[in-house]
Amino acid sequence: MKLRLTSSDLPDGWNSRPLKRLLREPLKYGANESGGLSDPSCPRYIRITDFGSDGKLRQDTFASLPSEVAEDYLIDKGDLLFARSGATVGKCYYYDGTAGPACFAGYLVKASTRVTKLNSRFLYHFTNSPQYSGWRDSSFVQATIENIGARRYGYLPVPLPTILEQNRIAAYLDVSCAAIDRAVDKKQKQLETLDDLR
């Protein structure tokens, strides 16, 4: 079943395009390596288990790959990694570059947007929307595990305002979501303090 966005589903002036038409290179699978190395001088090896649904990279699961192995799977600032199988299928990670040189694992799919057509932060925020969740749930390929491959991700219908409007929306959501994250963290720490006092 394919989920389509029609003009009646979108605000005036927006349209919808499949993700593959908005990328600077084809969607790509990562390296099929175990990630047993933990050398901080080598590119970090990002796997599905290294980021949560909050989109943040975990610091307690560091692994790396030798540079010569990693070179075909390096990611750039602004790239997105989509989980393609298992319980976290559809989960998305936005690489902001702060982790330094990094590469990605085989159960992830890399998307590199064409910046003149699609703001990668706008796309990341879209992957946290109910519309994206509905598309993901309708796209599962049932085998032994839930799966969405690169071909299917390529047909993800992305709602598109102009690039200027995408930039404004992404900037607004970045600020708003960061404020919400800070409030949640503060409450979490208060709850932990109360538990300690008890």
Side-chain angles (χ1 to χ4, degrees):
M1 176 174 132
K2 290 183 180 176
L3 183 69
R4 295 183 183 273
L5 292 174
T6 64
S7 56
S8 62
D9 299 321
L10 299 168
D12 289 342
W14 291 37
N15 59 44
S16 173
R17 298 284 302 279
L19 178 61
K20 68 179 182 175
R21 302 280 185 228
L22 305 168
L23 303 176
R24 67 174 187 265
E25 62 185 38
L27 292 160
K28 182 177 181 179
Y29 293 121
N32 290 314
E33 301 289 336
S34 63
L37 188 65
S38 59
D39 182 349
S41 69
C42 293
R44 175 156 187 179
Y45 189 40
I46 299 175
R47 301 152 297 173
I48 291 175
T49 53
D50 293 332
F51 58 94
S53 55
D54 61 359
K56 295 177 183 172
L57 197 58
R58 293 173 55 185
Q59 298 307 312
D60 61 337
T61 59
F62 181 88
S64 60
L65 287 183
S67 297
E68 63 275 12
V69 177
E71 66 183 347
D72 289 334
Y73 307 100
L74 294 174
I75 54 176
D76 296 320
K77 180 179 179 181
D79 285 346
L80 286 91
L81 301 176
F82 291 90
R84 67 180 176 109
S85 61
T88 57
V89 65
K91 182 173 70 165
C92 184
Y93 171 68
Y94 172 87
Y95 185 64
D96 65 7
T98 57
C103 56
F104 66 109
Y107 284 104
L108 295 168
V109 177
K110 181 181 82 163
S112 302
T113 65
R114 194 180 303 169
V115 297
T116 57
K117 293 186 176 287
L118 179 59
N119 179 307
S120 58
R121 286 299 294 171
F122 178 85
L123 175 59
Y124 173 72
H125 287 299
F126 173 63
T127 67
N128 290 294
S129 71
Q131 291 78 14
Y132 176 77
S133 295
W135 173 84
R136 180 199 62 208
D137 293 347
S138 71
S139 296
F140 288 143
V141 175
Q142 295 291 344
T144 53
I145 53 176
E146 293 175 332
N147 179 54
I148 300 176
R151 184 173 180 278
R152 195 166 293 255
Y153 273 121
Y155 287 101
L156 167 66
V158 179
L160 285 180
T162 65
I163 193 66
L164 290 176
E165 192 169 355
Q166 289 178 46
N167 294 343
R168 286 195 294 268
I169 291 169
Y172 173 80
L173 290 173
D174 283 346
V175 170
S176 300
C177 292
I180 292 167
D181 288 345
R182 285 193 299 272
V184 168
D185 286 345
K186 183 177 178 182
K187 286 293 181 191
Q188 186 62 43
K189 286 174 184 170
Q190 289 173 345
L191 290 170
E192 289 169 2
T193 301
L194 282 172
D195 283 344
D196 291 343
L197 289 172
R198 286 187 192 136

